[in-house]
Amino acid sequence: MSTSTAHRPAGRPDDPAWFRHVLGQYPTGVCVITAQPDDGPPIGMVVGSFSSVSMHPPLVGFYPSVTSETWPHLHKAGNWCVNILAAHQSDVCRRIATAPLAQRFDGVPWRPAPSGAPIIEGAVAWIDCVPVAVHDAGDHKIAIAEVKHLDTASTELPLLFFRGGYGSFTPLTLTAYDPDMSLARPLRHFELIRSIAQELPDSGLRCLVTAPVSDSVVVIGQLDPPSASSSAQPTTLVGQRLPFRPHGPSIFEAWAPEREQAAWVAKFAPDSQEAETQALARIRDRGFSIGLGSEGHRRFAAALERLAAEPGTVPNEELDALVASLDYEPADLSDEVLTQARVISAPVFDNAGHPVLAMTVFGFKAKPDIVHDAITAVTACAAKATRTLR
């Protein structure tokens, strides 16, 4: 072993300081459990021990200390609301943890949940629930509640508690959420090739992995370089469904059966059909799709940023119009053209030879040698991923 602690004797679990030190290596989220008494101001208690308990029925739980001054008041309440704090809310956390019980929400904006318990403005998510059981557990209690209502309220990252301090984290790989299981197959493919796709951000490229699902292209995964700045609020397109429409990237149609390709081309205006047929042939010949910078691309990128920050804020009609303005598959790839390159996509095939995923890299400098390197990297990774799926 190479770690400096490899031969150090283990500490005693009955040493409270050592127990806290070791358990402090495990990061936890930070929640505020709130309630609205019938006869007083709202109350709140900060916990780092919140967790889901059961899906059927939907149960959650947390572990208040038996010495907590707040717990007896929460215990008497008929409803609780769990607020998962956002990374910027450490000040809210400290206020509720340290202010006198009756003053904890002074200056803290909130709105009532269906139960009336406070939902703290800016929280990442909230879970409105009804207490159903409390169990003894040493010097703590195990409080169980049944979920009645819940929702996400922000796209921000959550606040974390780690080694005695508050902070956040920089997500390098994100995967689409799939509550209705419509993405089961693409997500399984992504999990199989995730480590290969990670080679792209490891080389400094930002990467999206997409899959065709019905009449949409769904962003299945996002991988960002370790050096990506975390100073700005991170946003993600993961889970977004983008319209699969004419004039957009045709990476999934280029290798489709002839009948399907013909149906795709027929969606274009008659005077554009020959150009699209040639564009599909270029993708097949090159082994990748390339998109150029244009006013349409800039507006489309701005729309995607809006979607990443606030899902659902860009109507499908606006996305359709923006997709129609994009500039893909130039006839030549001269150095002059490559200085306009913005995105490069390469297909990943399954064992039947169908393109089931696309790896798209972006965020690179539009210099010919850098663009060539990006093309080499993404096509090599896509080929490696294809061998894995086959």
Side-chain angles (χ1 to χ4, degrees):
M1 296 184 180
S2 59
T3 58
S4 61
T5 61
H7 303 293
R8 187 172 65 194
R12 292 175 55 86
D14 57 357
D15 178 347
W18 182 248
F19 188 87
R20 291 192 187 94
H21 170 73
V22 173
L23 272 295
Q25 309 310 302
Y26 182 66
T28 64
V30 182
C31 301
V32 175
I33 314 295
T34 65
Q36 178 58 70
D38 294 332
D39 56 353
I43 55 177
M45 181 172 69
V46 175
V47 302
S49 57
F50 172 76
S51 66
S52 63
V53 174
S54 166
M55 289 283 287
H56 305 289
L59 300 177
V60 294
F62 64 98
Y63 314 103
S65 170
V66 296
T67 61
S68 166
E69 295 181 0
T70 310
W71 166 241
H73 300 276
L74 277 178
H75 193 193
K76 290 188 296 183
N79 300 89
W80 299 331
C81 187
V82 181
N83 291 260
I84 301 174
L85 296 186
H88 71 277
Q89 292 185 303
S90 60
D91 57 336
V92 174
C93 172
R94 290 189 176 92
R95 173 160 192 85
I96 292 179
T98 60
L101 185 66
Q103 301 171 19
R104 291 184 182 176
F105 282 86
D106 291 356
V108 177
W110 64 275
R111 66 186 189 279
S115 68
I119 297 173
I120 297 172
E121 294 293 344
V124 171
W126 57 269
I127 303 155
D128 205 22
C129 48
V130 175
V132 294
V134 176
H135 305 283
D136 292 330
D139 56 10
H140 279 64
K141 300 285 187 178
I142 300 175
I144 307 295
E146 183 173 355
V147 177
K148 297 300 183 180
H149 306 88
L150 72 170
D151 200 3
T152 56
S154 167
T155 60
E156 295 191 35
L157 293 175
L159 182 65
L160 297 182
F161 185 76
F162 178 58
R163 294 182 178 176
Y166 294 105
S168 184
F169 75 107
T170 301
L172 301 181
T173 305
L174 296 172
T175 305
Y177 178 53
D178 185 27
D180 60 3
M181 300 300 290
S182 63
L183 306 179
R185 188 166 180 263
L187 285 173
R188 184 167 64 252
H189 288 151
F190 178 62
E191 288 305 318
L192 289 171
I193 61 95
R194 181 196 292 264
S195 61
I196 297 170
Q198 186 62 48
E199 295 175 13
L200 294 168
D202 285 349
S203 64
L205 295 168
R206 300 189 69 187
C207 176
L208 294 179
V209 178
T210 57
V213 179
S214 186
D215 61 350
S216 300
V217 174
V218 181
V219 182
I220 297 297
Q222 177 174 324
L223 304 97
D224 289 323
S227 59
S229 172
S230 60
S231 58
Q233 173 59 43
T235 58
T236 177
L237 285 168
V238 169
Q240 293 293 336
R241 294 175 180 259
L242 307 177
F244 192 20
R245 300 287 192 270
H247 302 289
S250 305
I251 191 78
F252 296 112
E253 290 296 337
W255 284 272
E258 288 187 11
R259 179 180 297 182
E260 189 175 322
Q261 285 191 42
W264 171 259
V265 171
K267 295 179 180 180
F268 288 72
D271 59 354
S272 301
Q273 292 179 4
E274 179 58 29
E276 176 60 13
T277 300
Q278 294 175 3
L280 294 175
R282 290 188 195 113
I283 296 173
R284 288 192 301 274
D285 292 343
R286 293 168 178 167
F288 61 89
S289 170
I290 184 168
L292 306 182
S294 64
E295 180 57 31
H297 252 105
R298 283 185 283 275
R299 289 188 288 117
F300 186 60
L304 294 185
E305 285 295 325
R306 286 160 55 197
L307 274 176
E310 296 183 69
T313 55
V314 182
N316 285 339
E317 297 78 9
E318 182 179 343
L319 281 176
D320 284 348
L322 290 171
V323 166
S325 70
L326 302 181
D327 188 2
Y328 278 88
E329 323 317 338
D332 72 274
L333 296 181
S334 64
D335 284 357
E336 181 179 355
V337 171
L338 291 183
T339 60
Q340 304 173 57
R342 295 296 180 269
V343 294
I344 302 162
S345 301
V348 178
F349 300 92
D350 64 10
N351 56 8
H354 300 137
V356 291
L357 298 175
M359 293 181 176
T360 299
V361 295
F362 60 103
F364 47 81
K365 292 183 178 179
K367 296 182 178 180
D369 56 336
I370 294 176
V371 175
H372 279 298
D373 288 345
I375 291 171
T376 299
V378 71
T379 53
C381 271
K384 190 174 179 180
T386 292
R387 291 192 294 272
T388 298
L389 294 187
R390 287 179 170 174

